[in-house]
Structures are given as C-alpha cells and as structure tokens.
Amino acid sequence: MDSCYFAVTKPSSSSSSAILNFQGVSSVGVRSSQKSLRAAPSQLCWPLSRPNKKYQNFVYRRTSQNLSFKTFKGPILAEAGKQVNSMDSSGITLVTGATGGVGRRVVDVLRNKRLPVRILVRNEEKARRMLGADVDLVVGDVTKSSTLLPEYFKGVTSVINAVSVIVGPKEGDTPDRAKYSQGIKFFEPEIKGDSPEMVEYIGMKNLINVVKENVGLCTGKLVFGYEGNSFKELPWGALDDVVMGGVSQSTFQIDLTGGENGGPTGLFKGVVTTANNGGFASIRTKNFFEPENLSAYDGLELRLKGDGRRYKLIVRISRDWDAVGYTLSFDSVEGWQSVRLPFSSLRPIFRARTVLDAPPFDPSQIMSLQLMFSKFESDGKLNPTFKEGPFELPVSCIRAYLKDTITPRFIHVSSAGVTRPERPGIDLSKQPPAVRLNKELGFILTFKLKGEDEIRESGIPYTIIRPCALTEEPAGADLIFDQGDNITGKISREEVARICVAALKSPYACDKTFEVKSVIPFSEPFTVDPENPPPEKDYNEYFKTLKDGITGKESLEKTPIPV
C-alpha cells in the first residue's frame, strides 16, 4: 500500500463517478496476522448524481506547494475532552553561546532545575572542561549554516541564545581584564573574531531558520489544505467498511468553490450503511515519506464545515498499515468552525478497542492521518449522532497549533542601547562605550538590532532581554525592568541567566522586548552573604509590567526622553 500512487479522477461526460485510483495496485486491504481482507479498486467509487465541473482533477505527489502563510482567525468552537495519555511537554532547551559568561550560567540554572538541556558550541574541549564531560553537546557555528545539522535540534522545544560577538580590550586594560569583566568603561575596545554582521545578524538568521521547525510558531504549522494563500496537499484515499464485508462508500475530492467565502476546500463525502454488518466510511493518507514532526505543538486543529455529526480523527506513528491508531472523536455543529484536538487526549485504539499497553503517542513520528464517520466509537460504544445515508464534511485545512496560553520558545540575550546610535538628539557623551563607538566596533549595536528584528518577524514566540552592562557580581539585587531602550546601569550575569530560564515558562514574557538593570549604581559593589542569600525572585511580577510592541525603534523618529 505504501508504494501506491493516488489520484482523484474528475468525472467525464460519459461517467457519473469520481473514482479514487490506486494505480499499479490490484487490490487494497488491511493486513492482519491471519489474513488480508481486500477490496477491488472498482469498489472504491463514489457515485455522483451528475457530473460537476467544480471538482478539480487532483493528483497526489510527494512534493507540496507552499505559498505565503496566513491563518484563520476566530473562536475555537469545539474542543476535545478527556485526557488519557499524558506526555512530557518540557522538551529540551538548547543553549547557544554556552561557554560565555551568561550562557554557562544558563546551563547551570537549567541543570539545577533538572530541566533537559543541550548546548551548541564551537569548541567541544573548552565546553566539556567548563561544563563537565556528561553535558549533552553538539558542535556547530551559527555563522556557518552548514554546521547546524538538523539532528542537533531533534527534541528541542525551546532555545536560549546567548551568542554574542566578542569585544575585547586593546593594550592598556589591566592584565587580568578586570575592568572588562566588571563592565567598567575600558579604552580602545575592538572586535575579536567574526564581525558583528556575521554573528549578530547572519548568525541569527541561520539559527532561526533551523529551529523554526522544532520550536513551534504562534501561527501553527499547516499540515493539509488551504489556509489564506497557502496550500499543502496530502495523499488521501478511501478506506471504507468494504474491507470488512460492508458496502459503505466514500471519496475525497477538492471542491474549488465549496470553502469559506467561495474558496477551495477538501471534501470528505460518501454514503454509509450498516448493511452486511458494516457502518463506517473513512479517508486515510498514504504513509508520509518522512515522519511529520509536530512535537513543538499541542495538537491538531481542523477547519471544517460541520453537519452536527460526530467524526473521528486517527493519527498513526507507525509505518505498519494495520497498527495502533491514536484516536479522538469530535462533535461538529452546523457551519464553518475550528475544532482543536489535543495530542494529550488521543486514545490508543486498535479495531475499536483501547490498547492499554500501547506506547505513548509521539508527535514527532506522525506517519498518517485518517478521518472517519462511523457507527462505532470504541470498546462497544455507539456513535450517538450516527445515521445511515449520505454525508459531506468539507475540511479546508488541518494544522498543528500551540495552545492559547503561549510561552516563549526563543529567549535572546541582546543589549541595552541597540536603538540609540541612530536616535536623533541623543547625547552620546552620556551613553555607554558601545553606543559611542558603534561604528568603530563594526556597527555592533546596529546588527544586534537587525538580529532582534529577525526574531520578532520569525513567528516564534520570543523574549528579547536587553541587559545593561554585565558584571560578575552575584544575583539578588533589586531590579528595574524598562522598555523603550533608555536606561543605563549594570546587572549581574547570574541574574540575567535566571531571567532567561524564568521567561521560558511565563506567558507574560511572551513577545516582549525589555531592558533590565540592578538598582545598585556602578560606584557601589553588590555582595551577598553566602550564609543568608536573598530569596529567589518571582520574575513573573516583573514580566507582568511589560507591554507589547515597545522596542525603542519608535523613538528613532522623535526626540528621546533624557535619561
């Protein structure tokens, strides 16, 4: 069955049927350990009342056409219910720049919280010496896209990016670089290694491109169908109760004018009957060439035109044709609606019986989908909305979704001051060295801002943290969170690391850009009594004060407020 070639044939003037062809295959069936139950292709035919030119010839191929991505907006009208199988949704947090001052502290915080962490570094020996031999480590360079191998990102559901261009002092600083390490002004700094453009901008683009498929987009991921100007096809074919001796019939077509607002939609339609002990009709996809990885998402959302009936979605994670299907029924209402089916609510079913010892559902290994209208639920229960006769279910798209309470998936450590070099009317003499020397340092802040913009435009749920001057002081001082890129001051690297990890779980930090500093002035060192450390902060209280859409770029065309 996996090697067959599906096509839906448009009715000709001499025929009143739309036929699902299994080209090159003499029969189809469901395999079992005892025997194969088969149906001839001639039985897989749905009779139409008359030829209808709005149904398009539709040939399934392995490739798909992806146009610009838009999503349906509107309320979710149906939600799946009882949770059966729970799964670990924490995933792996990838830390980039893990050997830097902030990055290595991020790794320590994650490990102390017993959260799965993987690090991406350029120098394996240095990383293992610094972080331990047992660290989950991959070697790559964000400035070289060829080194960011897809397998590095399997299982990764969030990223904390602490990669930064290296700025070092020329001759004249103290031999142990104490001034530089403390964030104190030093004279004649210079870029060490790759340029700001390569690290902060090109590197950011490379990193975002490779993680987008793994960390999840706010708009979701189109799996099948029409959504705005996007289309993605799947190889659907009819699988009805004829395989069990019944005589129900169904088909799948593309209806070019049957969708919302007269647009195109997929159409699952048929006639279902209980004759010959039957009672179900379904369409099922051919196994995907590669498993569909939806581990970054929380479930599947179907945009469909309901008819008041209860249908099933069946998801399989095995290439075996006759395998356990992870199933959820959903009730439709009259008219167009969105139905969300959480992965956590899928039940392992085999031939309408719950499989108690089935492996957990793995959303990274989705191999096929099946839509079904059936008399049967599971474990002897009957569908309360079932009735014999014709049915139609237009399904314009299926997409993976993130649940409504979205938390950041990409945390980026940037820098305060990124909008200031180009801000009109600013007094550079009162600004930190990086602002005054932006041009001399390869336009470091300009490219940091361009990198931030790449994140904001990526569709990935994000948090952009702009620390003021970084110090080696301990965490614990009171903090000031601000927006608009106006503040100066200092902050502990340890504190920034804690903020990064806290942002991963906070919906209040999602899609926010902010600056942060300690209330302690530069002239005063901050110390902590190891015997009586300050309590760990509830960073959510800070995140709650943040507003959407404030980046400081809005000040580039007007005079800033003096700091």
Side-chain angles (χ1 to χ4, degrees):
M1 186 67 177
D2 287 354
S3 62
C4 71
Y5 180 84
F6 294 178
V8 174
T9 304
K10 175 182 175 182
S12 66
S13 58
S14 60
S15 170
S16 62
S17 297
I19 301 174
L20 178 70
N21 293 322
F22 293 78
Q23 297 179 7
V25 178
S26 60
S27 62
V28 298
V30 180
R31 296 191 300 272
S32 70
S33 58
Q34 300 297 324
K35 60 183 179 179
S36 292
L37 301 173
R38 300 185 178 274
S42 60
Q43 293 178 283
L44 301 174
C45 172
W46 164 239
L48 298 172
S49 57
R50 58 182 175 83
N52 191 331
K53 292 185 178 180
K54 73 173 183 174
Y55 295 120
Q56 180 192 43
N57 276 355
F58 197 72
V59 179
Y60 292 99
R61 301 173 298 277
R62 293 192 189 281
T63 58
S64 64
Q65 180 184 7
N66 292 300
L67 307 176
S68 61
F69 192 90
K70 296 182 181 178
T71 58
F72 289 103
K73 297 183 183 295
I76 301 303
L77 301 178
E79 181 76 26
K82 183 178 179 181
Q83 178 172 327
V84 177
N85 288 331
S86 62
M87 65 178 184
D88 180 7
S89 60
S90 60
I92 297 170
T93 297
L94 179 75
V95 180
T96 59
T99 58
V102 173
R104 66 175 181 267
R105 290 169 171 86
V106 168
V107 173
D108 289 342
V109 174
L110 289 167
R111 290 167 122 186
N112 289 339
K113 292 181 177 293
R114 300 181 182 275
L115 296 173
V117 58
R118 179 177 299 155
I119 66 172
L120 173 70
V121 296
R122 291 186 298 176
N123 188 322
E124 179 178 2
E125 181 181 353
K126 176 183 177 182
R128 295 203 182 279
R129 185 172 63 250
M130 183 180 294
L131 299 170
D134 61 338
V135 66
D136 181 0
L137 179 151
V138 292
V139 178
D141 185 340
V142 297
T143 69
K144 300 177 176 64
S145 60
S146 62
T147 70
L148 304 179
L149 305 180
E151 55 263 33
Y152 290 176
F153 302 89
K154 288 183 178 179
V156 170
T157 56
S158 58
V159 175
I160 297 178
N161 180 40
V163 170
S164 178
V165 69
I166 300 173
V167 180
K170 292 183 179 179
E171 291 298 323
D173 196 3
T174 55
D176 59 359
R177 299 177 68 189
K179 292 180 182 179
Y180 176 63
S181 296
Q182 290 298 324
I184 299 172
K185 296 177 182 179
F186 53 85
F187 42 84
E188 294 192 291
E190 65 179 0
I191 298 297
K192 308 284 189 179
D194 292 318
S195 69
E197 180 178 15
M198 286 301 302
V199 177
E200 307 289 351
Y201 177 52
I202 302 299
M204 182 67 73
K205 292 179 70 173
N206 291 339
L207 184 59
I208 287 173
N209 285 338
V210 75
V211 303
K212 281 178 75 169
E213 289 296 312
N214 295 277
V215 301
L217 304 180
C218 293
T219 51
K221 180 178 181 180
L222 188 63
V223 177
F224 159 76
Y226 297 85
E227 195 168 54
N229 293 326
S230 297
F231 169 66
K232 185 175 182 181
E233 62 196 71
L234 283 181
W236 298 101
L239 182 61
D240 302 320
D241 59 17
V242 293
V243 298
M244 308 299 291
V247 292
S248 299
Q249 296 178 334
S250 71
T251 191
F252 177 79
Q253 300 168 328
I254 297 298
D255 184 344
L256 295 177
T257 61
E260 286 182 282
N261 304 315
T265 184
L267 180 61
F268 169 36
K269 64 186 296 184
V271 173
V272 67
T273 174
T274 58
N276 292 0
N277 295 315
F280 75 85
S282 76
I283 53 171
R284 177 172 170 174
T285 66
K286 178 182 174 181
N287 279 351
F288 305 147
F289 183 67
E290 294 289 342
E292 183 76 60
N293 179 8
L294 300 180
S295 58
Y297 297 93
D298 296 297
L300 290 171
E301 180 176 301
L302 285 65
R303 187 68 182 173
L304 54 85
K305 186 177 182 181
D307 56 6
R309 290 182 169 97
R310 177 176 294 177
Y311 293 87
K312 293 180 186 179
L313 178 71
I314 304 170
V315 185
R316 288 180 174 83
I317 59 175
S318 170
R319 288 188 178 275
D320 294 339
W321 181 255
D322 197 16
V324 170
Y326 295 81
T327 309
L328 194 60
S329 297
F330 60 91
D331 293 312
S332 68
V333 296
E334 298 285 342
W336 284 98
Q337 66 213 255
S338 293
V339 179
R340 283 190 168 184
L341 307 176
F343 290 142
S344 60
S345 297
L346 294 173
R347 300 169 60 97
I349 302 292
F350 183 72
R351 298 181 185 175
R353 298 290 179 186
T354 300
V355 181
L356 298 177
D357 59 350
F361 176 71
D362 183 354
S364 71
Q365 295 295 317
I366 294 175
M367 288 304 307
S368 68
L369 302 176
Q370 186 175 357
L371 272 172
M372 179 179 288
F373 178 52
S374 176
K375 172 183 176 180
F376 312 101
E377 289 277 69
S378 63
D379 301 326
K381 296 179 182 178
L382 298 178
N383 182 350
T385 70
F386 179 79
K387 59 180 179 180
E388 299 186 66
F391 68 91
E392 289 191 3
L393 184 69
V395 180
S396 62
C397 75
I398 300 173
R399 68 180 185 91
Y401 71 89
L402 294 177
K403 62 187 178 183
D404 294 332
T405 304
I406 299 176
T407 56
R409 306 295 176 96
F410 195 103
I411 313 297
H412 175 57
V413 181
S414 183
S415 173
V418 292
T419 69
R420 298 179 209 174
E422 304 299 325
R423 188 182 296 182
I426 197 167
D427 185 351
L428 290 176
S429 67
K430 296 181 180 179
Q431 295 300 316
V435 179
R436 300 197 312 269
L437 301 173
N438 182 56
K439 181 178 179 181
E440 290 78 4
L441 292 174
F443 294 96
I444 180 173
L445 296 181
T446 302
F447 285 111
K448 280 182 178 288
L449 183 59
K450 287 173 68 70
E452 286 186 8
D453 288 340
E454 289 294 317
I455 299 171
R456 283 188 281 264
E457 295 167 7
S458 69
I460 302 171
Y462 69 87
T463 301
I464 296 173
I465 302 169
R466 293 170 171 172
C468 291
L470 295 165
T471 75
E472 293 295 301
E473 294 172 338
D478 290 337
L479 302 175
I480 294 174
F481 278 42
D482 198 55
Q483 292 178 281
D485 195 20
N486 294 307
I487 63 174
T488 59
K490 67 176 181 178
I491 185 170
S492 155
R493 290 181 173 88
E494 176 68 27
E495 196 82 66
V496 174
R498 294 182 184 184
I499 294 169
C500 288
V501 176
L504 286 173
K505 300 297 182 183
S506 176
Y508 303 108
C510 194
D511 294 348
K512 302 297 196 304
T513 301
F514 64 92
E515 299 78 49
V516 59
K517 70 173 184 177
S518 162
V519 299
I520 309 298
F522 262 122
S523 58
E524 298 178 17
F526 177 71
T527 59
V528 167
D529 179 3
E531 301 298 323
N532 188 29
E536 190 167 341
K537 296 180 180 69
D538 181 359
Y539 294 102
N540 257 339
E541 295 304 313
Y542 293 96
F543 295 144
K544 287 178 182 179
T545 67
L546 301 175
K547 298 179 180 179
D548 293 326
I550 301 178
T551 67
K553 293 179 68 174
E554 57 273 8
S555 298
L556 296 180
E557 298 180 359
K558 58 186 179 181
T559 302
I561 300 172
V563 180

